[in-house]
Amino acid sequence: MALGKDYAAQSCSLARTLELVGERWTLLIVRDAFYGVRRYNDFLTHLGMPRAVLSTRLRTLTDARILETVRYQTSPPRDEYVLTAKGRRLWPAVYALAVWGEEHYGAERGSRRDFLHAECAVRLDDGGRCPECGQGIAPEDVEMRPGPGADPEPADPVDRALRTPRRLLEPLPQPLPR
């Protein structure tokens, strides 16, 4: 039996969520937004996806109020894409998938990125909690650092910018390092 194109017949919250974020590029856009990617060209450069697909996914995410546009330049008009409170609520799912991926498909040298509770400087556990203080950590209180499996000389300017320890949601420096 062939799969349908959507989950409209499903009476399930997970199915409705997958309808929004289950497409192959969408969670990567959300992940990058947590990493501080905000500008269209930076998403394009980092993800290497077709422009039409990126435009459609960004429109879907803004229509669903997971991202919002914020004007950063008036002439010519340019907008950034910023996670809303609703979008930031996806952090536990994004983190859980990243942890699972590192466990099963990670680099031989170790994790590509390490996530720490910024206040305690302790790496988060697999559930996204700080082992030091026992708290679940909001994304804005997470510091991301390159892990031992990170590419030491990334070709992509977004990946080069992400080599510097930074808090999640903090915008990437502009212009990006070349």
Side-chain angles (χ1 to χ4, degrees):
M1 181 170 161
L3 291 174
K5 292 188 181 223
D6 61 33
Y7 304 106
Q10 297 271 337
S11 178
C12 170
S13 297
L14 179 58
R16 292 178 193 270
T17 301
L18 286 174
E19 191 68 28
L20 178 62
V21 298
E23 186 278 330
R24 75 179 273 197
W25 293 107
T26 303
L27 277 179
L28 296 177
I29 293 169
V30 171
R31 175 208 63 191
D32 277 10
F34 278 111
Y35 290 179
V37 177
R38 293 182 168 194
R39 298 188 177 178
Y40 181 90
N41 282 334
D42 294 343
F43 283 112
L44 194 64
T45 298
H46 194 232
L47 296 173
M49 61 196 294
R51 286 179 180 274
V53 173
L54 177 59
S55 295
T56 300
R57 298 300 171 260
L58 289 171
R59 189 171 28 260
T60 298
L61 290 167
T62 54
D63 289 349
R65 294 188 175 95
I66 290 173
L67 295 174
E68 65 183 346
T69 56
V70 176
R71 177 92 4 119
Y72 71 88
Q73 178 179 308
T74 55
S75 184
R78 302 249 190 254
D79 294 330
E80 293 181 320
Y81 295 90
V82 179
L83 284 162
T84 64
K86 180 180 177 181
R88 289 190 303 273
R89 295 264 303 158
L90 287 168
W91 172 244
V94 171
Y95 181 73
L97 286 167
V99 167
W100 186 88
E102 286 290 355
E103 179 182 342
H104 296 285
Y105 303 105
E108 289 180 15
R109 297 183 319 266
S111 62
R112 291 176 184 91
R113 300 190 199 290
D114 290 336
F115 299 95
L116 296 82
H117 181 198
E119 185 176 317
C120 296
V122 174
R123 189 173 177 185
L124 302 182
D125 67 18
D126 288 354
R129 300 183 70 76
C130 174
E132 182 75 20
C133 66
Q135 295 180 18
I137 308 303
E140 55 272 10
D141 296 325
V142 173
E143 182 177 297
M144 180 177 64
R145 296 180 184 172
D151 182 353
E153 296 182 32
D156 169 344
V158 172
D159 275 329
R160 282 195 296 278
L162 294 176
R163 295 278 305 149
T164 303
R166 58 185 308 96
R167 285 202 185 204
L168 294 184
L169 304 171
E170 181 182 306
L172 291 180
Q174 294 295 328
L176 289 176
R178 297 290 166 196

